[in-house]
Amino acid sequence: MTASSNSRDLTALLRSAFGFSHFRAGQEAVCRAAIDGRDLLLVMPTGAGKSLCYQLPAIARGGTALVVSPLIALMEDQVAKLAAFGFRVARVHSGMERAAARQACADYLRGDLHFLFIAPERLRVPGFPEMLAKQKLALIAIDEAHCISQWGHDFRPDYRMLGQYVPALRPAPVLALTATATPGVQADILAQLGMADPLKFTHGFRRNNLAVEVVEVPMPERPAAIRGLLSQPQRRPAIVYAISRKQSERLAEELSRIVPAAAYHAGLDAETRERVQTAFQDGQLEVVVATIAFGMGIDKADIRTVIHAGLPGTLEGFYQEIGRAGRDGLPSRTYLMHSYADQRTHDFFLNRDYPPADHLDAVYRALGEQPQPVEEMRAASRLSEEEFDKALEKLEIHGGARVDFGGGVSIGGKGWKKAYTIQAQYRAGQFEKVLRFTASPECRMSALVRHFGDEEDAGRPCGQCDICDPAGAVLRQFRHPTARERALAQEIAGELRLVDYRAAGTLQRAVDPEGHVNRRDFDALLDAMVRAGWVEIEEAEFEKDGSVIRFRKVRLTGAGFDLGPATAAHLLIGDGIADEFAASVPRSGKTKTAARAKSPRKAEAPAQLTPQAEAFAARLREWRTAEARRLGVPPYLVLHDRTLAALAVARPANPRQLLEVDGMGPAKAEKFGAAILGLLTGS
Ligand code: ADP
Ligand code: MG
Ligand code: ZN
């Protein structure tokens, strides 16, 4: 086959060599570029089918493909699959007999292999790179390429050295593949591998069946909210991600009162973890409360809910974790709970994982050219055992210390400090991004897709997250504005009419000079105006006295210009969590219940319906069942019980009144409005 192969030829090869009838989204273009000999970077989520994107071009180009893979398990899996397709495959890694490795090399040198898999550290074995260079390669595939970058969340020092071996293996094209690389990591991969005029493919991060909710929930209220959510069988199976082992055990214990649930974290022995994983996989356990250690190995398609009981450290991690929901393509929901307290927890983690540079300095200064036993150094250090180990680990990663196999440590290069500082800052920056994600009024799915660098796909709102469809939110609650808030919204619009934009702070001072409204409530109102499409907010920054000051530019949109006095009543303001998930303990401070009773959002409970309202509710329920069946979704996705009850009580007669009913957002009204009005007005 040649570079000019047409579509039919490629599909034929796909069928004959791999037994697949058609390419998945994104695969064909990548295969074509690789067959043409281009260097490329492919970023597609896990399970999207990246392997084929190097395997098919390898076969098409002829010769042996060299595949670098960081994990023996991943390698063994790919090797077994390829062998099953009838390809000649060999591997070389530390977990195998020397004779087998030697055989693999001999087969390679005879030009007898389609694929040779290697672990990156093999390249450090004297003579091995030279041996590889004796054959002309079809291509070089670097799997899990984010491991190359210190900015990736899985950095491996052995991967960083790959770049220096690549030139000797040219002219083969280099293909870097990863499921998780932000634009910054992508740039780093290209640079470190010295890729020539590379093509970048970023594809497939949007998940159409995931509805993402981000909700502010105070720490103490989370267990009750989680129990409330998971008490409904249709929301299970579920994974709850906890931020600590302790939290994971407590939640698991609490949940096991209502549903088979277990904890899973790195502090449990391997046997227990294995048992939990298998039980979850087989359906004996319906909920697992895990720390991040869980999920890599699970292959369960029908997970309906993923809950984060605290803020994750990175958006990459968050995306991977919510991505475990709904692999079967059916509607699934994910909930991210956060509050100010999470920031403090993370500051603690950051300080632990990225100790102050003077800790590293103290260890570095004690090092010499002659290796010293680690234990002796640890004992002599003024740092605690944990601090010492952490500092040494970081020093080693950044080249400031060398640890030999006998456990001796000697001094390394001087450059560690800069590299370490940059990485610590980068880590803190990643968490900043999580915070900004939670605070942003942008569609959740769009924000995630953009985070991975797919600008093209990021423009389309998902229609089902808490931002796109506030009324459809399950855990997050919205309310209509008070008279004061309506007036304030008018003033904001009035102020913005006069200017191109205002910084959020300036705007607040202009419309509320006396400072009656606190910052939070003001932001909540602004966010509501963004969701309604009346204003736009753009993150901006400037430098002052050497530090970067961030601010938000607030601008009126075309729709905002036309904002009439009545329209502000339709705003939906974020208001914590829905009452049905609130802890039964009364809240302290301002009596929220009283404030809520006044707001127009609250529906009467079904029990309080009048006979007439009950008759309408029955009609609505019947319609809802049929509609849910037609759409293939659970009934609550069509209408929530409380929305249904509110409709039966309010009996809206026109679209405007419909929108005033609690739980009926613009998206719902557009989808179901006509049908509902028809039912209620009897037409
Ligand atoms: P990842 O992107 O995570 O590396 P893999 O390459 O391991 O994903 O592919 C995931 C699964 O999808 C594998 O079982 C693979 O055989 C399958 N697959 C890949 N491409 C196709 C295709 N065109 N048609 C059907 N199955 C495919
Ligand atoms: Mg893969
Ligand atoms: Zn959305």
Side-chain angles (χ1 to χ4, degrees), residues 348 351-352 355-356 358-360 362-363 374-393:
F348 170 80
N351 285 329
R352 185 198 58 190
D358 35 310
H359 283 197
L360 279 69
V363 177
V374 174
E375 297 76 29
E376 278 174 26
M377 289 198 61
R378 194 188 284 125
S381 168
R382 63 173 174 81
L383 298 173
S384 76
E385 215 166 274
E386 245 167 73
E387 287 172 338
F388 176 89
D389 287 346
K390 197 37 120 185
L392 180 59
E393 177 198 318

Side-chain angles (χ1 to χ4, degrees), residues 335-657:
Y335 306 87
L336 168 56
M337 302 184 177
H338 68 98
S339 75
Y340 183 69
D342 290 282
Q343 296 187 33
R344 267 178 289 144
T345 314
H346 271 279
D347 285 343
F348 170 80
F349 286 149
L350 270 177
N351 285 329
R352 185 198 58 190
D353 296 343
Y354 293 88
D358 35 310
H359 283 197
L360 279 69
D361 218 22
V363 177
Y364 183 71
R365 274 184 281 115
L367 294 171
E369 298 293 340
Q370 281 306 313
Q372 313 171 55
V374 174
E375 297 76 29
E376 278 174 26
M377 289 198 61
R378 194 188 284 125
S381 168
R382 63 173 174 81
L383 298 173
S384 76
E385 215 166 274
E386 245 167 73
E387 287 172 338
F388 176 89
D389 287 346
K390 197 37 120 185
L392 180 59
E393 177 198 318
K394 294 292 173 192
L395 263 186
E396 192 196 358
I397 288 177
H398 295 284
R402 290 201 190 90
V403 181
D404 61 34
F405 289 111
V409 202
S410 55
I411 195 161
K414 284 206 184 82
W416 63 267
K417 200 168 205 162
K418 188 166 170 234
Y420 174 70
T421 313
I422 292 175
Q423 180 164 35
Q425 280 168 358
Y426 182 80
R427 267 313 221 223
Q430 281 183 309
F431 185 60
E432 283 281 309
K433 286 190 178 155
V434 176
L435 289 180
R436 259 183 275 158
F437 172 76
T438 62
S440 159
E442 184 185 14
C443 164
R444 306 295 181 191
M445 190 52 75
S446 293
L448 290 170
V449 167
R450 170 166 299 120
H451 180 71
F452 287 103
D454 192 349
E455 285 292 334
E456 201 180 307
D457 190 29
R460 188 161 53 87
C462 78
Q464 53 192 350
C465 67
D466 62 300
I467 302 288
C468 290
D469 183 17
V474 174
L475 181 63
R476 191 172 180 193
Q477 175 166 266
F478 295 85
R479 61 176 173 80
H480 291 302
T482 60
R484 252 259 323 277
E485 287 165 333
R486 290 202 297 269
L488 200 57
Q490 294 294 337
E491 280 185 46
I492 290 173
E495 180 72 17
L496 291 174
R497 264 192 196 106
L498 310 172
V499 291
D500 176 28
Y501 71 86
R502 278 257 184 271
T506 318
L507 179 65
Q508 182 173 1
R509 282 190 295 278
V511 299
D512 178 31
E514 318 264 284
H516 291 305
V517 185
N518 70 32
R519 166 83 191 269
R520 262 172 84 89
D521 293 347
F522 184 77
D523 283 348
L525 181 61
L526 268 190
D527 286 350
M529 294 179 77
V530 173
R531 279 193 300 272
W534 299 339
V535 303
E536 283 168 351
I537 297 184
E538 183 193 337
E539 303 276 344
E541 55 186 41
F542 63 89
E543 252 190 69
K544 192 183 170 194
D545 305 333
S547 55
V548 179
I549 315 269
R550 287 218 171 83
F551 71 106
R552 298 184 300 155
K553 288 182 175 177
V554 188
R555 232 184 225 109
L556 208 58
T557 63
F561 260 99
D562 305 332
L563 188 61
T567 20
H570 298 306
L571 285 174
L572 288 169
I573 297 181
D575 187 32
I577 62 173
D579 289 354
E580 59 180 302
F581 301 114
S584 49
V585 283
R587 300 168 198 232
S588 56
K590 118 181 162 191
T591 49
K592 210 159 179 178
T593 352
R596 281 183 176 183
K598 265 188 279 149
S599 83
R601 137 194 59 80
K602 212 51 225 148
E604 265 104 310
Q608 295 167 306
L609 296 186
T610 61
Q612 196 199 14
E614 188 42 64
F616 282 112
R619 254 196 237 180
L620 283 168
R621 241 176 260 125
E622 195 179 316
W623 164 81
R624 177 175 71 174
T625 309
E627 194 65 18
R629 197 168 300 141
R630 188 176 71 80
L631 297 170
V633 301
Y636 71 90
L637 278 185
V638 177
L639 275 190
H640 230 278
D641 279 347
R642 67 189 139 85
T643 311
L644 190 147
L647 282 168
V649 173
R651 286 195 59 204
N654 57 45
R656 196 180 47 76
Q657 291 175 357

